[in-house]
Amino acid sequence: MTISPSEKQQMIRAAVSWLGGLTAIVIFWIGLRIVMVFDSYFPPDFQHGFLAGRQSYFRTSVYGAGFYLHIIGAPIALLSGLTQFSRGLLRWSPGLHRLLGRTYAFSVLFAAAPGGLVIGLRTFAGPSAAVCFVVMSLLVSLSTVLAWRAALQRRFTSHRRWMTRSYLLMASAILLRLIDPALRDAGVPDTLSYQWSVWLSWVPSLVLFELLEHWRAASKTRQ
């Protein structure tokens, strides 16, 4: 049976919609799990969990402020940014789309990214992980600024591309929580597992996105 080009396009759109819905569920579920441990951060619990052993510098440096900026800004960015990929929302309420877009941009630029930079420099996993967090913070900030600028200039194709890059970097927090436990279960030592995971949580995603964008551009050129 021969499939027409229009039918093929419909199948691709259906697959993308299904995958997007599944991705949204995973992001929401892990985001909820992240928020559920907030009771150990207010007030900070230095005996267990992420803050264990950080009491000596938590309040005497910018670490504490960076930590709270990050843990508050990142969930807001993940949830508000997820809505930006809904074409239905864009058609139904462009104003709400813009409001949520601004919410995403502000939460990234003034909370999640600078906070992540501060706490990333104190990572237990050594220079490799610290460099990764610095690069991520700079890239997500740059991508967000360029996405915002493109939207203001009504260059919506460019806006979509930069917004996607920005969100892939933010979603590294989700992938990190999937990759790291998987590597540890496979027998990789804890520190090494984390070092690998922080890079694997965003580099392959961005590379795949750039390859897909290149393929799309090449396909349009051939038409």
Side-chain angles (χ1 to χ4, degrees), residues 1-16 215 223:
M1 184 178 71
T2 304
I3 300 176
S4 66
S6 61
E7 290 175 330
K8 185 181 294 185
Q9 288 296 325
Q10 289 177 354
M11 292 172 63
I12 292 174
R13 290 193 195 100
V16 169
W215 176 77
Q223 290 177 355

Side-chain angles (χ1 to χ4, degrees), residues 146-190:
L146 292 176
W148 196 341
R149 187 180 71 170
L152 293 175
Q153 295 173 344
R154 304 187 68 81
R155 295 184 292 111
F156 296 120
T157 298
S158 179
H159 169 67
R160 176 190 63 80
R161 289 171 179 162
W162 284 114
M163 180 64 186
T164 302
R165 293 181 181 107
S166 174
Y167 196 76
L168 286 174
L169 286 158
M170 282 303 305
S172 65
I174 303 298
L175 289 176
L176 175 61
R177 286 163 174 80
L178 296 174
I179 297 171
D180 188 35
L183 290 178
R184 296 187 189 199
D185 289 343
V188 179
D190 289 359

Side-chain angles (χ1 to χ4, degrees), residues 37-117:
V37 301
F38 272 23
D39 60 342
S40 64
Y41 302 148
F42 300 96
D45 180 0
F46 297 112
Q47 304 304 316
H48 310 91
F50 183 81
L51 293 179
R54 301 182 190 271
Q55 187 172 6
S56 61
Y57 55 82
F58 189 83
R59 293 190 177 93
T60 58
S61 67
V62 296
Y63 186 92
F67 173 77
Y68 284 118
L69 280 174
H70 185 70
I71 67 167
I72 292 171
I76 295 173
L78 284 170
L79 293 177
S80 59
L82 190 60
T83 66
Q84 296 299 286
F85 298 95
S86 171
R87 294 184 181 274
L89 176 64
L90 178 59
R91 288 192 295 266
W92 174 68
S93 179
L96 181 58
H97 173 85
R98 288 192 292 270
L99 175 62
L100 290 170
R102 293 189 189 103
T103 301
Y104 173 82
F106 273 94
S107 61
V108 170
L109 294 174
F110 298 106
L117 176 63

